[in-house]
Amino acid sequence: MLVTSKQMILSAQKNGYAVGCFNTSDLELTKAIIAAAVAQQAPVMVATSEKAIQFGGIAALAALIKEEAKNASVPVALHLDHGKSIHIVKECLDAGYTSVMFDGSELFLDKNTQMTAEAAKLAHERNVPCEGELGHLGKVGVSSNQLTNPDDVLEFVQKTEVDFLALSIGSSHGVGSDEKLEIELLKKINSLTKIPLVLHGGSGVPDGDIQKAISSGICKINIDTDIRHEFTKDLREILKEHPDEQDPREILAEVMQKVQTLVEKKIKLFGSNNKT
Ligand code: 13P
């Protein structure tokens, strides 16, 4: 069923696990993510970045994900990942997204606070929760991290009225060689606020650190790169194994099965299996 992300994340926070937020940009990944959630009886968030929206088109992507969600036997939220403008937040709300993120982490703190508050207000008018980001998560090989400053947390949360807060605590977007989490920093932030905390850049973080992060207050974890890498790796292998196969559906069904297996593994790692 299609739901907002609010209740599933609050339940995760209360019961000490994390909801997986998995990125898609097409039919195959969407179906594989939702099939994994159904197989594991897990609440799940299906996310689209701005790049995915450019690739798939907002109307087509939203319609596809909402339809798959409605037919699923588990709670599914349709989430905007890293919306960088008020315009894209509005577009997603109009398209029926049930969860949004405004990412002002590249802006000065005042501007991030002001624009995130504006995005949260728009989302709340539609009863949709909004996530903000404080500190900045870099991209492997492109930009560096700016860790979240605990001194900024309370004021940011109060002024923006966001529902969930994404932190920068050592992970990066992409798969880096050393994505060790600053667990003490996370614990400190978690002791300051009751807001559910979000870990971005989940690919490349060792499983042990993921588990420590969950027990220290993280209740939503974003995974993108691992899924894209799994898809392209499997596609190459399967095409090589079956050089004469002419039906894309035969090839893609096998790839989707492998992506589903990966997502199921993540769900179990996050402890969100059997939580519907
Ligand atoms: P990864 O690509 O490192 O998994 O990060 C995903 C993410 O944080 C999406 O917002």
Side-chain angles (χ1 to χ4, degrees):
M1 67 270 326
L2 179 68
V3 299
T4 79
S5 56
K6 182 91 182 179
Q7 197 49 52
M8 64 170 80
I9 292 182
L10 288 178
S11 297
Q13 184 182 41
K14 193 168 155 213
N15 296 298
Y17 60 92
V19 173
C21 180
F22 302 102
N23 283 67
T24 185
S25 49
D26 56 40
L27 172 87
E28 289 77 16
L29 293 179
T30 302
K31 278 184 171 286
I33 293 164
I34 294 180
V38 170
Q40 290 300 323
Q41 284 300 292
V44 75
M45 294 176 70
V46 179
T48 65
S49 63
E50 290 194 25
K51 193 167 175 184
I53 289 171
Q54 273 167 17
F55 173 75
I58 191 161
L61 262 186
L64 161 69
I65 300 167
K66 283 190 292 182
E67 192 58 25
E68 293 293 327
K70 278 182 202 157
N71 294 329
S73 60
V74 296
V76 181
L78 167 55
H79 180 72
L80 166 64
D81 188 32
H82 295 286
K84 297 258 173 86
S85 67
I86 297 297
H87 176 73
I88 190 74
V89 170
K90 265 192 201 145
E91 268 197 317
C92 287
L93 291 169
D94 286 345
Y97 278 55
T98 59
S99 183
V100 291
M101 173 191 192
F102 179 79
D103 174 6
S105 66
E106 283 164 312
L107 307 170
F108 286 118
L109 180 59
D110 280 356
K111 192 74 182 160
N112 184 7
T113 307
Q114 179 224 315
M115 290 186 74
T116 306
E118 198 181 327
K121 186 164 178 283
L122 283 171
H124 293 161
E125 281 166 9
R126 321 253 185 131
N127 287 323
V128 169
C130 182
E131 174 183 339
E133 179 167 326
L134 195 54
H136 176 67
L137 222 84
K139 194 169 178 183
V140 175
V142 178
S143 56
S144 49
N145 287 334
Q146 193 190 324
L147 296 182
T148 304
N149 181 351
D151 296 341
D152 297 335
V153 169
L154 274 188
E155 195 173 327
F156 184 79
V157 169
Q158 270 160 11
K159 284 191 173 165
T160 59
E161 298 187 28
V162 282
D163 302 86
F164 323 121
L165 183 64
L167 304 177
S168 177
I169 52 169
S171 57
S172 307
H173 289 119
V175 175
S177 53
D178 184 24
E179 293 199 55
K180 219 183 138 8
L181 298 183
E182 305 276 344
I183 298 295
E184 289 312 312
L185 174 61
L186 168 59
K187 282 185 180 161
K188 176 157 192 197
I189 294 169
N190 194 39
S191 72
L192 295 171
T193 173
K194 288 191 171 17
I195 193 167
L197 301 174
V198 179
L199 179 71
H200 279 252
S203 305
V205 177
D207 287 0
D209 273 26
I210 294 274
Q211 278 160 342
K212 280 187 213 154
I214 295 169
S215 59
S216 307
I218 290 293
C219 30
K220 166 179 175 269
I221 300 179
N222 286 40
I223 300 283
D224 182 1
T225 307
D226 276 349
I227 293 179
R228 285 186 284 110
H229 284 186
E230 184 69 34
F231 185 95
T232 47
K233 173 176 76 74
D234 299 334
L235 187 57
R236 279 192 197 94
E237 281 171 11
I238 292 162
L239 284 170
K240 214 168 151 192
E241 273 168 35
H242 306 285
D244 298 325
E245 178 59 65
Q246 300 293 334
D247 186 343
R249 290 165 298 190
E250 296 296 328
I251 295 161
L252 290 169
E254 270 194 63
V255 178
M256 287 160 72
Q257 185 57 56
K258 288 183 188 271
V259 172
Q260 178 182 337
T261 302
L262 170 83
V263 175
E264 285 191 51
K265 230 169 95 184
K266 299 283 182 192
I267 286 173
K268 285 193 256 179
L269 174 65
F270 302 163
S272 60
N273 49 322
N274 300 317
K275 299 294 191 313
T276 58

